[in-house]
Amino acid sequence: MSGVIVTGPPKADLADVDALARFGVATVSEAMGRTGLLGPDIRPVQQGVRVAGTAVTVLSWPGDNLMIHAAVEQCGAGDILVVTTTSPCTDGLFGELFATALQRRGVRGVVLNTGVRDTQELRGMGFPAWSRAVSAQGTVKATGGSVNVPIAIDGQVIHPGDVILADDDGVVVVPRERARETVTKAEAREAKEAATRAAFLDGELGLDRYGLRDTLKRLGVEYRTYEEYEGERS
């Protein structure tokens, strides 16, 4: 497998990246029309951490982390490393030594469509990681791949420079060109949710706030007392 290392790709504005970091993954995905999620199998190795950064993408061969070494040189402050392989792989492609090198360069975290190892050390050093698996299985450094090219995880295409937002719920990608727009939409959604939260605290029901009683009626869902229900069953 031959490959390419692309240098200096355009990136989302860091101000927009940091603005998106104020919101949860679920809020941002909803703000984009329920898109961008990298699927339920990419899970954090820590809890209570939310990060946002610009994607440096890696396409590697399964069981081979050569291109992660190549990608470290392309990473800088505010980035998040995003790694996938040409076919499914759960080997531990990434661990504490990589995290040390990336943390030194100001990288904010890593997202792996593969396995990760040294999870206790990663938590101890405060380097956030999300991965498809946790595996102590080692790797080789023998096959070419690519850095800073478009990659796909769970059907979502990630371009270098896109915004990656990750928290306890998972990971979402925001296209670089939509970063500012998504901040605005996320702010509006959060304001709407705050109003709904206040209404619920005041005792209002979702059935009434969202007009769902008419929906139940339209779908033919009827109310019955317990006695009526039991009588109809007998």
Side-chain angles (χ1 to χ4, degrees):
M1 171 181 167
S2 60
V4 62
I5 299 172
V6 180
T7 63
K11 299 180 180 182
D13 188 279
L14 199 56
D16 294 334
V17 174
D18 291 340
L20 284 168
R22 303 198 312 264
F23 308 105
V25 164
T27 296
V28 169
S29 175
E30 293 281 354
M32 292 194 299
R34 294 186 296 170
T35 63
L37 293 174
L38 303 193
D41 295 330
I42 306 292
R43 304 303 306 148
V45 304
Q46 67 286 309
Q47 291 292 303
V49 173
R50 178 186 298 155
V51 298
T54 45
V56 172
T57 60
V58 179
L59 180 62
S60 289
W61 195 263
D64 192 313
N65 66 5
L66 172 63
M67 299 315 295
I68 299 180
H69 284 279
V72 171
E73 184 182 25
Q74 304 305 316
C75 289
D79 286 335
I80 290 180
L81 188 68
V82 186
V83 180
T84 193
T85 48
T86 56
S87 60
C89 171
T90 58
D91 296 343
L93 266 66
F94 186 96
E96 176 261 337
L97 292 179
F98 272 137
T100 299
L102 291 176
Q103 195 171 61
R104 172 65 177 79
R105 302 177 76 86
V107 174
R108 295 179 173 180
V110 64
V111 174
L112 301 148
N113 193 28
T114 66
V116 67
R117 62 183 187 176
D118 303 333
T119 55
Q120 182 176 348
E121 287 79 5
L122 293 178
R123 288 189 292 271
M125 64 189 293
F127 189 83
W130 286 256
S131 69
R132 183 168 297 276
V134 174
S135 174
Q137 178 63 48
T139 60
V140 299
K141 302 164 182 59
T143 314
S146 294
V147 176
N148 278 334
V149 299
I151 60 174
I153 298 178
D154 203 46
Q156 299 295 325
V157 177
I158 303 162
H159 294 85
D162 284 348
V163 183
I164 299 295
L165 174 67
D167 62 16
D168 288 350
D169 290 341
V171 183
V172 65
V173 56
V174 179
R176 175 175 60 86
E177 301 84 355
R178 296 185 61 189
R180 169 51 27 197
E181 162 201 343
T182 303
V183 170
T184 301
K185 290 183 176 180
E187 288 172 342
R189 181 170 182 83
E190 190 170 73
K192 181 179 178 181
E193 288 182 351
T196 299
R197 187 178 302 109
F200 286 171
L201 286 171
D202 200 39
E204 186 175 4
L205 295 174
L207 284 174
D208 299 313
R209 186 165 185 83
Y210 300 136
L212 298 177
R213 295 191 188 278
D214 289 340
T215 301
L216 291 175
K217 183 177 181 180
R218 176 172 53 82
L219 294 174
V221 180
E222 299 179 341
Y223 285 86
R224 292 285 189 273
T225 66
Y226 176 79
E227 291 77 11
E228 289 171 337
Y229 177 68
E230 287 297 314
E232 292 171 355
R233 292 179 62 199
S234 60

